[in-house]
Amino acid sequence: MLYSTSFFAPIPYFQSIVKHKAIVIDLHELYKKQTWRNRAQILESNGPMYLTVPVIRPNGSQSIVKEVKVCYKTDWRKDHWMAIVSSYQHAPYFFYYGEQIRELIYHEEPILYKYNDTIFRQLLKWLDLDIEVSFSEQYHSPIDKSDYRISLDKKNFDIEQERYIQVFSDKMPFYPNLSILDLLLNEGPLARKRLTSNKKK
């Protein structure tokens, strides 16, 4: 099954991959701006916010995923980490995962998909998901909109999620479909069960 690379992927991404024993990350698709390939959505005190990894597309709009580089000209990693601390320092499992998340954010890797891969494989370990991950050797065009590179490439999902207690549940409604970070920091080891128990509408 082909998937796009993703930075601290949204919960629906993980709800999808748990159905498979092996997945392939597409390195040959055209890189799309403003997608989960280089951004994640967390929950802060005023609502959802995006964390975006700045990138360099060597061939502009015709750059393929394996060519895209991470841009380190600004201190975005500090901004990401401070946003996560501000949002989740009182989450039940921040003490357990926090420092390791910081290390993932600060690890330096010039190629975006490799940067994401380091994060992704650690998330699989934390979620106790035994899924084989490999990379595509050539491009395969999507057959239809059910292709995961298309169906998971959107801001609003039609995948139902069980509600769980979020950090700001006392003052704002439940926000589904956030980064897996939200589920992991609030639910810890129970996150895996949440992923496997949720169903499509």
Side-chain angles (χ1 to χ4, degrees):
M1 292 295 174
L2 281 167
Y3 284 81
S4 298
T5 184
S6 188
F7 170 64
F8 285 112
I11 295 169
Y13 187 100
F14 282 89
Q15 287 177 274
S16 177
I17 67 170
V18 295
K19 303 171 186 175
H20 309 291
K21 293 183 178 180
I23 65 170
V24 179
I25 304 299
D26 188 356
L27 301 186
H28 299 274
E29 65 173 353
L30 285 177
Y31 179 80
K32 297 179 183 178
K33 296 170 60 179
Q34 298 183 335
T35 65
W36 307 120
R37 291 164 183 79
N38 73 317
R39 69 180 184 178
Q41 190 176 50
I42 63 172
L43 186 63
E44 53 130 26
S45 59
N46 293 318
M49 71 171 290
Y50 287 112
L51 303 178
T52 302
V53 177
V55 299
I56 299 170
R57 297 179 296 158
N59 293 304
S61 61
Q62 295 305 304
S63 300
I64 60 175
V65 167
K66 72 174 184 178
E67 301 172 331
V68 177
K69 300 178 181 180
V70 179
C71 179
Y72 292 102
K73 290 183 178 180
T74 61
D75 199 2
W76 58 268
R77 290 179 294 180
K78 178 181 178 182
D79 293 338
H80 283 198
W81 174 239
M82 294 305 295
I84 290 172
V85 171
S86 176
S87 299
Y88 296 106
Q89 60 185 325
H90 298 301
Y93 291 91
F94 180 81
F95 178 81
Y96 183 80
Y97 297 110
E99 186 55 35
Q100 297 171 82
I101 291 171
R102 181 183 183 280
E103 291 175 4
L104 288 175
I105 291 171
Y106 272 91
H107 89 274
E108 192 155 332
E109 166 57 55
I111 305 299
L112 178 66
Y113 86 84
K114 293 181 178 180
Y115 180 82
N116 287 348
D117 185 59
T118 296
I119 293 171
F120 184 55
R121 291 178 189 273
Q122 182 58 62
L123 289 168
L124 292 178
K125 290 180 181 178
W126 284 337
L127 295 166
D128 194 25
L129 296 177
D130 185 16
I131 299 173
E132 181 182 339
V133 182
S134 59
F135 301 108
S136 66
E137 297 182 354
Q138 60 185 351
Y139 180 65
H140 296 279
S141 299
I143 297 176
D144 54 40
K145 292 183 179 180
S146 66
D147 186 293
Y148 294 124
R149 293 168 294 174
I150 297 176
S151 63
L152 292 172
D153 191 16
K154 52 188 178 181
K155 294 180 181 179
N156 299 311
F157 297 93
D158 57 356
I159 300 177
E160 183 179 355
Q161 290 172 17
E162 287 185 14
R163 290 172 178 259
Y164 56 91
I165 298 176
Q166 295 175 319
V167 177
F168 305 106
S169 292
D170 59 329
K171 64 177 184 178
M172 63 175 66
F174 175 76
Y175 285 95
N177 306 319
L178 298 173
S179 165
I180 192 65
L181 282 175
D182 190 80
L183 181 61
L184 185 68
L185 291 172
N186 284 301
E187 292 286 286
L190 288 177
R192 183 180 186 277
K193 184 177 180 181
R194 297 284 191 184
L195 295 173
T196 57
S197 63
N198 291 323
K199 301 177 181 179
K200 286 186 178 181
K201 288 183 179 179

